[in-house]
Amino acid sequence: MNATTAMEVNIEAKRILAVSISKLYASRTQRGGLRLHRSLLLSLVMRSARDIYHSSRECEAPSCAQSAPEEPMETSSSPEEPIRQPEPEPQQATAGSETASDPEEPGSEAEEYDCEITEDKENMSPERQSRKRRGKASAAPDFLPSKRARLEPGEERHAAPLGSCRAGAGDSLTTLSLNRVIPAF
Amino acid sequence: MAGPGGDMQWCFSQVKGAIDDDVAEADIISTVEFNHTGELLATGDKGGRVVIFQQEIENKNQPQFRSEYNVYSTFQSHEPEFDYLKSLEIEEKINKIRWLPQKNAAQFLLSTNDKTIKLWKISERDKRPEGYNLKEDDGRYKDPNSITSLQVPVLIPMDLMVEASPRRVFANAHTYHINSVSVNSDNETYLSADDLRVNLWHLEITDRSFNIVDIKPANMEELTEVITASEFHPHQCNTLVYSSSKGTIRLCDMRASALCDKHSKLFEEPENPSNRSFFSEIISSISDVKFSHNGRYMMTRDYLSVKIWDLNMENRPVETYQVHEYLRSKLCSLYENDCIFDKFECCWNGNDSVVMTGSYNNFFRMFDRGHRRDITLEASRENSKPMQVLKPRKVCTGGKRKKDEISVDSLDFNKKILHTAWHPQDNIIAVATTNNLYIFQDKVN
């Protein structure tokens, strides 16, 4: 997939995500209560859109380092930059258990670990899955907590370790929808 | 479409409902159903009302005399309710009406909203007693001293009065929204289905029902599909089917076990990978399932097509008819304007040779299975002169638009035909637009 198509798909996916989220919220005020069938279909579309959004961003990242979608990434990851330096040491243990042999990996691990810590601070207890917090976080795709590590040129993205915020953020979108959808039942 | 004596032509017969373009939400028709003889036609609306029309049997020896459907009874079936525990309003909209086969002079039907099913008795009264000894005709009690002789009260004819009374209320058995009701061929039991469960009831017993299908996962986060429709087999009282949002149909045999979670047959067609899109899952969701009258086939409706399945073949349908394939490239807009969630129904004609379903722009489609022909017709006030023959309509999908064709972009997606019904014996169809009911008949040559 070339960069242009990836960007188009990305924009389309983002748009569909936005539309879906607004539909999900609108359905909460509908007469007769939440419709399980409709909510399920919405969450399926959101999941597809999210997957395509993330995979098309992956395609973009290696090919265009300075392209527009990267901008929000840079601004959001810059506060984490200073922290990156002191972190690598404690992260060696974590990195060691990973299969990655790339020397840059601890860096991205640190990034993600930072995010996890940040997220933990926000949520106090990750298991509790504070719905309120996550709801705000995923109110609109532009604010998607896509706290993915900013890749250095030439770096490859490896499978996110368990508990990383990327998986957390990605899953939370769908988990959020279903969690929010189902509570009344 | 060939029938005895040449091609069938459909003519306008009647239209019921307000002429207003401004549609009151309560008047939106939500279900249409003929009874087993076709003499009665019931509609349910969003306001919880049921209106029953009766066919006036005119001189059947002279077929050019068209028999008309006139209002027979109107009653408020369901009222809006409030679930205080969940702080949820329960809509009064009638989701389904199903007639019971007639056993005596009265007629019975089941009507349901999202949570409660009711059995209604519709009976006629055309005589009243007159000549009581102790009462005057207007009801006042007579002065006992003025009574000097005895008389036997007589029944005298009166204007026909049709009374509807609720005989049973089947409540509190569904956590989710009821989408289907189906009367069993044993005439004693019926099923009701919601998003995750199917319950079996006895018509006489309201405080208990058996749960026969339960697809609720232990962890709701793992929910992947819901039940969208369910029906009993027309002859085999042990057999039922239910369709899912994933496009599958499961056939269950109640003799196999008390809980029919394990299906006897699973009908599923593999997805065509070239059609994959964001919305593949939504458009494969089945909105209606109907057995053929002979019980050998069943028909399913998903967003773009109608499929006929042979009950003996599970891996693919025997026939597939495209209802409005030109919408496949518009799925994104249809998602945005919510039309992609529309639940179209479908129906068989009396001898299972033709199937019918609705579309947008007040179009409806018929597929003649035997002759492999299909036709698109329109229900509109413009074509509503008595006995006016309906002209076939055509949607232009691209390139030059021919005269009389309508382009896809000109279709009115607010005018949708979701509910249609076919008379069990004759070529009479009832087609519901948003708030009007059209009745068409086949032109007798």
Side-chain angles (χ1 to χ4, degrees):
Chain A
M1 185 190 284
N2 63 34
T4 331
T5 329
M7 185 126 70
E8 285 167 4
V9 170
N10 186 300
I11 291 168
E12 183 69 4
K14 223 158 84 160
R15 198 170 65 82
I16 290 176
L17 262 172
V19 167
S20 308
I21 289 170
S22 65
K23 281 189 193 295
L24 201 55
Y25 279 143
S27 66
R28 291 164 75 206
T29 52
Q30 246 173 24
R31 260 192 98 207
L34 278 171
R35 303 253 150 206
L36 190 62
H37 185 198
R38 184 187 162 92
S39 309
L40 179 68
L41 295 177
L42 283 174
S43 70
L44 290 173
V45 171
M46 282 164 68
R47 201 182 302 202
S48 304
R50 169 182 57 100
D51 291 343
I52 291 179
Y53 176 69
H54 284 313
S55 69
S56 70
R57 292 197 66 162
E58 271 183 35
C59 291
E60 280 176 31
S63 54
C64 37
Q66 291 301 318
S67 66
E70 287 288 349
E71 294 285 317
M73 266 320 309
E74 291 182 8
T75 45
S76 66
S77 59
S78 54
E80 285 145 13
E81 276 268 52
I83 316 168
R84 208 175 154 180
Q85 294 315 312
E87 287 301 328
E89 281 314 306
Q91 296 320 304
Q92 289 301 344
T94 332
S97 62
E98 299 297 324
T99 52
S101 53
D102 190 336
E104 302 281 6
E105 186 55 21
S108 57
E109 287 289 298
E111 198 88 74
E112 290 173 328
Y113 187 79
D114 271 341
C115 302
E116 194 186 352
I117 288 177
T118 320
E119 195 169 21
D120 277 353
K121 278 183 189 155
E122 285 181 4
N123 292 332
M124 297 311 285
S125 122
E127 289 81 37
R128 197 164 59 85
Q129 297 229 349
S130 169
R131 292 175 191 158
K132 214 169 181 178
R133 187 71 57 179
R134 284 174 192 265
K136 276 189 188 166
S138 52
D142 281 343
F143 308 124
L144 265 178
S146 40
K147 294 172 184 167
R148 296 163 66 118
R150 187 167 63 89
L151 295 171
E152 299 302 309
E155 190 178 9
E156 276 181 27
R157 188 170 298 280
H158 294 272
L162 201 65
S164 84
C165 63
R166 176 170 85 84
D171 280 351
S172 75
L173 199 55
T174 320
T175 321
L176 164 70
S177 4
L178 291 176
N179 273 348
R180 281 192 164 276
V181 157
I182 311 299
F185 296 111
Chain B
M1 219 164 336
D7 279 2
M8 235 186 346
Q9 281 191 305
W10 290 96
C11 306
F12 171 83
S13 175
Q14 294 170 278
V15 60
K16 308 285 186 192
I19 304 178
D20 257 342
D21 271 343
D22 216 5
V23 180
E25 195 166 323
D27 292 338
I28 294 173
I29 298 173
S30 50
T31 186
V32 181
E33 188 81 357
F34 278 101
N35 77 335
H36 293 267
T37 60
E39 187 202 349
L40 297 175
L41 175 60
T43 62
D45 65 25
K46 233 179 162 194
R49 288 167 303 199
V50 171
V51 180
I52 303 176
F53 301 92
Q54 184 190 41
Q55 193 180 31
E56 303 293 336
I57 309 294
E58 286 178 26
N59 198 337
K60 278 220 151 172
N61 293 330
Q62 293 175 279
Q64 61 266 34
F65 279 34
R66 319 212 123 266
S67 26
E68 288 203 334
Y69 282 85
N70 298 315
V71 177
Y72 180 65
S73 173
T74 305
F75 56 93
Q76 186 75 32
S77 170
H78 286 71
E79 298 274 5
E81 283 173 60
F82 201 80
D83 180 339
Y84 296 100
L85 214 52
K86 296 181 184 167
S87 289
L88 284 179
E89 203 181 346
I90 300 170
E91 276 193 284
E92 67 277 28
K93 172 167 80 89
I94 308 295
N95 292 335
K96 283 283 168 354
I97 289 175
R98 290 288 182 260
W99 291 92
L100 268 58
Q102 195 173 11
K103 276 199 267 198
N104 51 37
Q107 299 278 359
F108 288 86
L109 61 80
L110 286 170
S111 70
T112 185
N113 69 348
D114 284 338
K115 299 286 180 182
T116 305
I117 307 128
K118 294 187 185 180
L119 177 70
W120 287 88
K121 176 180 178 184
I122 296 110
S123 48
E124 290 183 3
R125 192 196 292 261
D126 61 357
K127 294 180 185 51
R128 63 181 174 85
E130 212 178 58
Y132 283 108
N133 289 288
L134 299 177
K135 276 197 284 190
E136 303 284 2
D137 284 339
D138 60 7
R140 281 180 305 134
Y141 279 96
K142 287 181 183 169
D143 175 9
N145 299 320
S146 67
I147 300 170
T148 53
S149 62
L150 270 180
Q151 58 182 349
V152 177
V154 291
L155 289 171
I156 59 159
M158 61 178 247
D159 287 339
L160 179 67
M161 199 166 72
V162 180
E163 297 169 318
S165 59
R167 303 304 286 178
R168 304 272 185 279
V169 177
F170 305 91
N172 302 319
H174 286 281
T175 310
Y176 303 94
H177 297 102
I178 297 174
N179 52 54
S180 310
V181 160
S182 177
V183 184
N184 204 346
S185 51
D186 65 9
N187 276 344
E188 287 189 353
T189 58
Y190 75 94
L191 65 78
S192 59
D194 66 27
D195 293 316
L196 297 178
R197 299 186 175 106
V198 180
N199 291 337
L200 179 70
W201 301 84
H202 191 285
L203 284 164
E204 298 293 324
I205 300 168
T206 58
D207 62 353
R208 248 168 304 170
S209 72
F210 286 106
N211 174 243
I212 51 176
V213 175
D214 187 341
I215 66 166
K216 182 176 178 178
N219 182 359
M220 278 300 267
E221 284 178 30
E222 288 159 9
L223 182 73
T224 53
E225 64 182 325
V226 297
I227 297 170
T228 52
S230 184
E231 199 180 51
F232 267 123
H233 190 278
H235 312 133
Q236 296 164 16
C237 57
N238 54 291
T239 305
L240 64 113
V241 292
Y242 67 92
S243 59
S244 87
S245 54
K246 273 191 169 171
T248 63
I249 309 100
R250 287 172 176 80
L251 186 139
C252 300
D253 186 338
M254 294 198 292
R255 296 170 303 187
S257 69
L259 194 57
C260 296
D261 279 357
K262 276 210 186 72
H263 53 262
S264 300
K265 293 193 184 186
L266 173 64
F267 298 84
E268 186 174 15
E269 182 177 30
E271 192 193 354
N272 183 350
S274 63
N275 281 337
R276 194 101 185 82
S277 78
F278 276 124
F279 309 105
S280 299
E281 279 142 334
I282 301 190
I283 63 169
S284 64
S285 176
I286 292 174
S287 50
D288 194 16
V289 65
K290 291 263 170 48
F291 277 106
S292 61
H293 291 95
N294 61 20
R296 289 172 51 199
Y297 300 96
M298 65 179 174
M299 165 168 54
T300 57
R301 174 74 155 96
D302 51 68
Y303 191 63
L304 296 179
S305 67
V306 161
K307 294 179 181 173
I308 313 266
W309 303 78
D310 184 322
L311 293 186
N312 296 316
M313 188 160 76
E314 297 169 60
N315 59 356
R316 59 176 174 83
V318 289
E319 292 153 42
T320 302
Y321 300 104
Q322 300 303 333
V323 182
H324 35 220
E325 182 68 12
Y326 46 80
L327 295 182
R328 194 181 286 276
S329 54
K330 310 265 176 211
L331 293 179
C332 199
S333 328
L334 294 165
Y335 179 70
E336 286 176 41
N337 66 14
D338 267 0
C339 283
I340 208 173
F341 298 103
D342 286 336
K343 297 195 167 101
F344 291 95
E345 291 173 9
C346 53
C347 61
W348 298 85
N349 74 338
N351 61 13
D352 300 331
S353 60
V354 183
V355 297
M356 171 167 67
T357 190
S359 178
Y360 293 104
N361 209 68
N362 281 348
F363 287 172
F364 57 99
R365 304 262 283 138
M366 289 185 192
F367 302 96
D368 185 332
R369 302 173 62 208
H371 299 94
R372 307 213 157 269
R373 280 191 279 198
D374 60 87
I375 191 170
T376 305
L377 299 170
E378 182 180 358
S380 77
R381 292 264 174 187
E382 280 87 52
N383 309 324
S384 50
K385 292 197 232 354
M387 303 216 340
Q388 179 179 1
V389 175
L390 295 182
K391 214 168 46 162
R393 309 286 287 150
K394 197 149 161 55
V395 177
C396 157
T397 50
K400 275 189 82 128
R401 187 177 74 88
K402 296 199 192 88
K403 181 173 171 290
D404 283 350
E405 281 186 359
I406 180 165
S407 75
V408 183
D409 299 312
S410 316
L411 293 174
D412 188 341
F413 290 97
N414 290 320
K415 294 188 176 165
K416 51 193 88 168
I417 292 179
L418 303 174
H419 312 286
T420 59
W422 205 308
H423 190 288
Q425 278 116 35
D426 301 334
N427 282 330
I428 301 173
I429 56 176
V431 170
T433 59
T434 309
N435 65 332
N436 286 160
L437 184 72
Y438 285 78
I439 299 172
F440 300 106
Q441 293 180 349
D442 149 39
K443 184 185 173 89
V444 183
N445 293 325

